[in-house]
């Protein structure tokens, strides 16, 4: 019996970056953009707000880009302050590296298990799909999906009753499957 689980974002993650005003390290993105034109060159930033003092910081999206090289639909989405575009851009590793930021996904995702009873059969095979690149510990997902403690999940792994072709220690942000043997 194959079950499908989906890890879905519920909101934008917290951006980890040092605030120049209050030395806090947490910013929240609300999907607002600022676009500035210098003749035929464009600059664009994703605006983030410090969670402590409310100071605005800018994450560079475009820097001195020629107007003709920017897709019109991208520019329209920035002008419309599209929150889905903000989510897409925060997922971009190039943008995060360029701006020297990291993401904190705690409390910004949920696990959708489909609501079925998973512990009833002899063996349960589960396919976990990620709707966004959210780094989560598989042990935590499995514990939450089956209603077990993390220690119980670790015990099942040690007893080889919980097996996967993927590494179940550490964090994963890509799709994987596992099997629970009863």
């Amino acid at each position: 019996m194959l079950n499908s689980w989906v890890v879905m974002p519920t909101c934008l993650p917290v951006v980890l970056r040092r605030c120049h005003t209050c030395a806090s390290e947490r910013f929240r993105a609300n999907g607002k953009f600022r676009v500035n034109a210098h003749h035929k060159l464009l600059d664009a930033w994703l605006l983030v707000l410090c969670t402590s003092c409310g100071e605005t910081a800018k994450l560079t999206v475009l820097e001195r880009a020629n107007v003709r090289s920017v897709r019109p639909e991208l520019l329209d989405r920035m002008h419309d302050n599209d929150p889905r575009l903000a989510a897409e851009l925060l997922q971009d590793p190039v943008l995060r590296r360029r701006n020297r930021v990291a993401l904190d996904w705690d409390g910004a995702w949920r696990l959708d298990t489909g609501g079925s009873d998973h512990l009833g059969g002899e063996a349960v095979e589960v396919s976990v799909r990620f709707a966004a690149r959210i780094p989560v510990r598989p042990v935590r997902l499995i514990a939450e999906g089956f209603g077990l403690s993390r220690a119980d999940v670790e015990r099942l792994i040690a007893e080889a009753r919980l097996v996967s072709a993927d590494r179940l220690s550490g964090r994963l942000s890509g799709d994987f499957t596992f099997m629970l043997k009863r």
Side-chain angles (χ1 to χ4, degrees), residues 3-124:
N3 293 305
S4 295
W5 293 358
V6 181
V7 178
M8 304 174 64
T10 57
C11 61
L12 292 175
V14 171
V15 176
L16 301 176
R17 174 184 175 166
R18 188 164 187 84
C19 179
H20 298 294
T21 304
C22 71
S24 172
E25 295 191 1
R26 301 177 68 78
F27 285 81
R28 70 176 189 285
N30 56 1
K32 303 281 186 206
F33 291 90
R34 176 160 185 236
V35 180
N36 197 10
H38 305 279
H39 302 288
K40 294 182 182 182
L41 302 176
L42 287 178
D43 290 325
W45 300 277
L46 173 62
L47 303 178
V48 293
L49 301 172
C50 177
T51 57
S52 294
C53 67
E55 183 72 20
T56 301
K58 300 183 288 189
L59 303 181
T60 303
V61 177
L62 298 173
E63 190 170 28
R64 301 291 180 186
N66 192 312
V67 173
R68 293 182 189 267
S69 68
V70 179
R71 295 186 328 267
E73 56 274 0
L74 174 65
L75 197 55
D76 289 341
R77 289 177 73 187
M78 282 192 275
H79 282 300
D80 294 339
N81 291 320
D82 185 1
R84 279 180 269 155
L85 177 61
E88 291 170 21
L89 290 173
L90 286 174
Q91 292 287 315
D92 185 12
V94 174
L95 181 122
R96 291 196 316 260
R97 193 170 33 254
R98 179 188 320 152
N99 290 286
R100 295 184 188 100
V101 298
L103 301 178
D104 181 7
W105 282 96
D106 286 346
W109 61 271
R110 69 179 174 87
L111 178 63
D112 182 14
T113 61
S116 60
D117 182 24
H118 302 293
L119 294 175
E122 184 65 28
V124 178

Side-chain angles (χ1 to χ4, degrees), residues 7 13 91 96 103-106 109 130 132-138 140-141 170-174:
V7 178
Q91 292 287 315
R96 291 196 316 260
L103 301 178
D104 181 7
W105 282 96
D106 286 346
W109 61 271
F130 287 79
R133 295 189 55 80
I134 303 170
V136 181
R137 294 185 186 281
R140 179 177 178 189
L141 286 178
R171 293 181 183 261
L172 290 176
S173 58

Side-chain angles (χ1 to χ4, degrees), residues 117-174:
D117 182 24
H118 302 293
L119 294 175
E122 184 65 28
V124 178
E125 186 173 359
V126 179
S127 170
V128 180
R129 187 175 60 80
F130 287 79
R133 295 189 55 80
I134 303 170
V136 181
R137 294 185 186 281
V139 171
R140 179 177 178 189
L141 286 178
I142 296 167
E144 187 174 321
F146 287 122
L148 302 170
S149 70
R150 290 186 198 173
D152 288 341
V153 174
E154 294 286 352
R155 184 180 45 78
L156 290 170
I157 292 171
E159 294 172 355
R161 291 177 40 205
L162 182 63
V163 293
S164 175
D166 296 292
R167 181 177 50 94
L168 294 177
S169 61
R171 293 181 183 261
L172 290 176
S173 58

